[in-house]
Amino acid sequence: AAEEADRAGVPLHEERALVLDGEEARTTQALLAQGFSPENILAPNVRPNVVSALRERGIRSWAGSVEAYLRALPKRMKPFRAVYLDHTGSVPRHARLLRLLMTSGAVAPGSVVAATFSTKRGPRQKSHEWTGAHALHVAIGTLQRSARRVGLDLEGGGVAELADFV
């Protein structure tokens, strides 16, 4: 995110980030250490204790879900430079959020998107066949299709469209 902001000629403290973080605030702390301003880090969370912990660190946090925030996002709002979704659930459960992230206007060329998921559970009808490779395939495929719908390209590890990861 810092490299992309530098490439765009925008100081990192002026950029915005959207994060789904935990009570320990590891992601927000890392963003602060890189130069993001606390008021430009948005961190909705459904757990009130997490919201309180993040607010104590000066982060703009409120009780709510990332999905609800993205649905209400004004179309003219400046896209986020960084989005990090630290999910504790499975990929199939959160694929809808990945689609919404890409199609809501929250990201644009130069945005950096990262997410974590559990790879242990897949669709119920196929749970015995589900592997970590399936989880990665579904997550990257969802991001690719959603990005294409809005004219965005994906790149990861310097590989356009992540073709070797799918």
Side-chain angles (χ1 to χ4, degrees):
E3 288 176 19
E4 289 297 328
D6 189 48
R7 229 176 281 180
V10 180
L12 198 54
H13 71 272
E14 293 179 10
E15 294 286 13
R16 297 176 341 117
L18 176 65
V19 299
L20 176 56
D21 207 354
E23 193 170 1
E24 302 82 18
R26 289 186 181 126
T27 302
T28 53
Q29 292 300 321
L31 290 171
L32 290 169
Q34 288 298 309
F36 278 88
S37 295
E39 65 272 9
N40 288 337
I41 301 173
L42 283 67
N45 202 292
V46 296
R47 296 180 51 211
N49 59 316
V50 173
V51 170
S52 294
L54 294 173
R55 283 182 177 170
E56 287 173 10
R57 297 174 190 272
I59 305 302
R60 291 176 57 191
S61 188
W62 63 93
S65 70
V66 171
E67 189 169 1
Y69 174 73
L70 290 174
R71 287 191 191 288
L73 191 66
K75 294 296 180 195
R76 295 185 192 154
M77 187 171 248
K78 179 181 175 184
F80 292 98
R81 177 62 66 193
V83 176
Y84 180 67
L85 304 174
D86 187 9
H87 288 290
T88 55
S90 65
V91 173
R93 191 172 127 209
H94 295 292
R96 182 177 65 237
L97 178 57
L98 293 176
R99 283 190 291 276
L100 181 59
L101 174 65
M102 299 307 286
T103 60
S104 67
V107 296
S111 294
V112 176
V113 176
T116 58
F117 297 97
S118 167
T119 60
K120 293 180 183 176
R121 294 181 312 229
R124 289 183 190 183
Q125 66 273 22
K126 295 184 179 185
S127 62
H128 64 285
E129 301 169 6
W130 189 258
T131 66
H134 285 102
L136 183 60
H137 177 78
V138 169
I140 298 299
T142 299
L143 286 170
Q144 282 181 323
R145 287 185 300 278
S146 301
R148 284 186 192 130
R149 273 190 216 122
V150 294
L152 295 173
D153 293 319
L154 296 182
E155 184 178 307
V159 180
E161 285 299 316
L162 303 169
D164 64 337
F165 291 106
V166 179

